[in-house]
Amino acid sequence: MCHHSDKYRFSNIQDLHELEKKMDRRDFLSKTAMGMGALALGSLFSQEGLMAKSLSKGGGLPGLPHHPPKAKRIIYLFQSGGPSQLDLYDYKPTLQRMQGQDLPPSIRGEQRLTGMSANQSVFPIAQSAFEFKQYGKSRAWVSELMPYTAEVVDELCFIKSMITEQINHDPAITFMQTGHQLPGRPSTGAWMSYGLGSENQNLPGFVVLVSKNAVRDQPLYARLWGNGFLPSQHQGVQFRSGKDPVLYLGNPENYEGEDRKQMLDYLKQLNNLQFDTYGDPEINARIAQYEMAFRMQTSVPEVTDLSDEPDWVFDLYGEDSRDPGTYAANCLLARKLIEKDVRFVQLYHQGWDQHGNLPGGIRNQCAKTDQATAALIKDLKQRGLLEDTLVVWGGEFGRTVYSQGTLTEDNYGRDHHPRCFTMWMAGAGVKPGFSYGVTDDFGYNVVQDPVHVHDFHASLMHLFGVDHEQLIFKHQGRRFRLTDVAGNVIHDLFA
């Protein structure tokens, strides 16, 4: 088949001169300069090992994984807003005898404060309103708010010494999701998709689920699961509840599947003509996305249909799991997605930002999430999936030991706290029934084994067989990676 762009092809200098005679100066420069630039860019990427092998099943970069992976898939349960570690997992009995006393200045030091508590004249210590007990063979301390999670503590690897650099929500969430506090960088899931590719030709390698029943105290932006400067097919695809799980995926009214296929075939030809002319690699990414969307028309309705799940599964996850779009239903859907070899499933659940009325607010949050979170661990284990599926739970920062605003006998609030917070992992490659890192008696500073966000990302990538220092992408003259120019793998977390 003869393409119209053939008249612009050339193989030597003589061809260039002949072409210049047939075209005006502007047309010549636009056609040849962009084409030659794209060829040079492609050559550079190939030399540095940055070009993907394929946009089809598998994909990923040559030479990856760098070492044998322990994890093949991940379900990341992101608790947006900053869960209070002091009321859930980091038990501090010292606070009981110091209730209401001003936090010693020596503990707070030069800590940056938010605008919400910077004008307080005193910082009264607030003990947790909830009872803690030890559970499992690991004797892990867990609050009464998490009775279901308490049942699976021997599967969990707690990190109680997480540290972030950001004290406000947007930069902190962006930092946790992309490794940088400013928007524009690729998300963790996008880096995984770019480096390792996808194992399911009919579903995206990176899927995002957002709870519909959450308290929307802090906004979530699509850039949190975006591709940044990576090729666009690596961005997260959001699945929603309702008849259209993926927006604009279905055919228009009176439009048949064969019509859609024919349209895509013609569209691909047009895009190929455009690529021949301009050499923009993003055109190929667009072609891949259109083709994926066509395959998803049958695969997405199938995987999002929970009606074939037996009653005992809904009982395990809780009554909310029968209501699509809730946190519980999304946990169940996440299990179905990783069964279909979706590599990265990210759940977002908002509502953990309790500056006031923390006892009531955090109780409601735990009631919505605790059972389903523990059920996911149990369900994965009984199906043999936990062995190579990593589950992560955590937010963007922790909460302060002192009360924001007035402290009463039965009520308090907690401000943002970046100096220490708790996350946990379970499954592929991590030590079960293990706790890493120690905070001081006030739960304010890390005193042993700090884990920076970059360290966490480096360790996450290591579990997937990726050397975080080697997975790079050159953009605007600089080599970028998820961990920027930092990050150490915390090998003590691994089994």
Side-chain angles (χ1 to χ4, degrees), residues 8 67 73 98 150 170-171 193 219 277 279-280 300 306 316 323 373 452 454:
Y8 298 138
H67 56 264
R73 299 167 295 269
M98 298 192 67
D170 187 76
S193 174
T277 303
D280 183 357
V300 168
L306 303 180
L316 180 65
D323 183 7
T373 299
H452 188 276
H454 288 320

Side-chain angles (χ1 to χ4, degrees), residues 7-245:
K7 64 181 180 179
Y8 298 138
R9 292 177 177 171
F10 48 86
S11 58
N12 52 49
I13 297 298
Q14 183 62 37
D15 288 341
L16 283 174
H17 290 313
E18 292 297 323
L19 179 60
E20 186 176 14
K21 294 177 183 178
K22 298 177 184 179
M23 304 168 61
D24 61 39
R25 183 173 180 272
R26 177 180 297 175
D27 198 22
F28 175 80
L29 290 175
S30 67
K31 302 297 184 185
T32 57
M34 294 185 71
M36 292 166 65
L39 288 173
L41 185 64
S43 175
L44 176 64
F45 279 4
S46 296
Q47 291 172 11
E48 301 209 14
L50 299 177
M51 293 293 282
K53 289 185 294 185
S54 171
L55 296 178
S56 61
K57 182 177 180 180
L61 298 179
L64 265 72
H66 299 119
H67 56 264
K70 295 184 177 181
K72 293 181 179 179
R73 299 167 295 269
I74 177 174
I75 299 174
Y76 192 155
L77 307 172
F78 187 74
Q79 313 299 317
S80 175
S84 171
Q85 75 282 7
L86 297 167
D87 295 281
L88 297 177
Y89 299 119
D90 200 8
Y91 178 50
K92 297 299 174 184
T94 300
L95 307 185
Q96 296 176 8
R97 62 179 177 82
M98 298 192 67
Q99 170 77 351
Q101 297 182 35
D102 195 21
L103 181 68
S106 60
I107 300 298
R108 186 159 57 89
E110 299 298 321
Q111 168 67 45
R112 175 189 172 195
L113 302 176
T114 73
M116 292 165 285
S117 60
N119 294 324
Q120 289 187 202
S121 58
V122 294
F123 298 89
I125 292 172
Q127 68 171 343
S128 176
F130 307 102
E131 184 181 357
F132 278 75
K133 292 182 180 179
Q134 290 178 288
Y135 295 89
K137 294 180 180 179
S138 59
R139 310 306 296 154
W141 288 99
V142 180
S143 162
E144 64 180 278
L145 293 172
M146 294 287 198
Y148 291 95
T149 301
E151 297 175 0
V152 296
V153 290
D154 287 341
E155 301 294 340
L156 308 184
C157 177
F158 288 97
I159 307 175
K160 295 186 177 180
S161 53
M162 286 295 304
I163 297 175
T164 184
E165 299 172 8
Q166 306 305 318
I167 199 170
N168 291 312
H169 290 288
D170 187 76
I173 295 175
T174 305
F175 190 40
M176 181 58 74
Q177 297 298 288
T178 71
H180 199 273
Q181 69 269 27
L182 297 179
R185 299 289 182 91
S187 59
T188 308
W191 278 111
M192 289 279 197
S193 174
Y194 169 71
L196 297 174
S198 174
E199 294 302 316
N200 188 318
Q201 190 175 6
N202 300 317
L203 287 169
F206 178 19
V207 172
V208 174
L209 306 170
V210 180
S211 301
K212 72 174 186 179
N213 63 330
V215 178
R216 304 191 184 279
D217 48 12
Q218 296 297 329
L220 294 173
Y221 304 99
R223 59 175 166 78
L224 296 173
W225 50 89
N227 59 295
F229 42 69
L230 296 177
S232 57
Q233 74 266 25
H234 300 298
Q235 65 186 306
V237 177
Q238 186 178 349
F239 282 23
R240 296 165 167 84
S241 58
K243 66 176 183 178
D244 294 317

Side-chain angles (χ1 to χ4, degrees), residues 335-397:
R335 187 218 78 206
K336 292 193 66 174
L337 287 166
I338 63 104
E339 283 183 308
K340 297 292 186 181
D341 287 323
V342 173
R343 188 180 300 281
F344 201 109
V345 182
Q346 177 103 47
L347 275 69
Y348 289 91
H349 186 79
Q350 298 159 281
W352 294 94
D353 190 28
Q354 285 109 20
H355 291 274
N357 191 30
L358 183 142
I362 200 169
R363 186 182 293 276
N364 290 335
Q365 282 295 94
C366 293
K368 289 180 179 179
T369 61
D370 176 41
Q371 182 176 355
T373 299
L376 180 62
I377 301 296
K378 295 175 182 177
D379 201 8
L380 291 173
K381 185 174 183 180
Q382 69 188 2
R383 296 171 189 269
L385 294 169
L386 196 59
E387 296 177 4
D388 54 13
T389 300
L390 183 68
V391 181
V392 176
W393 184 100
E396 67 268 33
F397 44 50

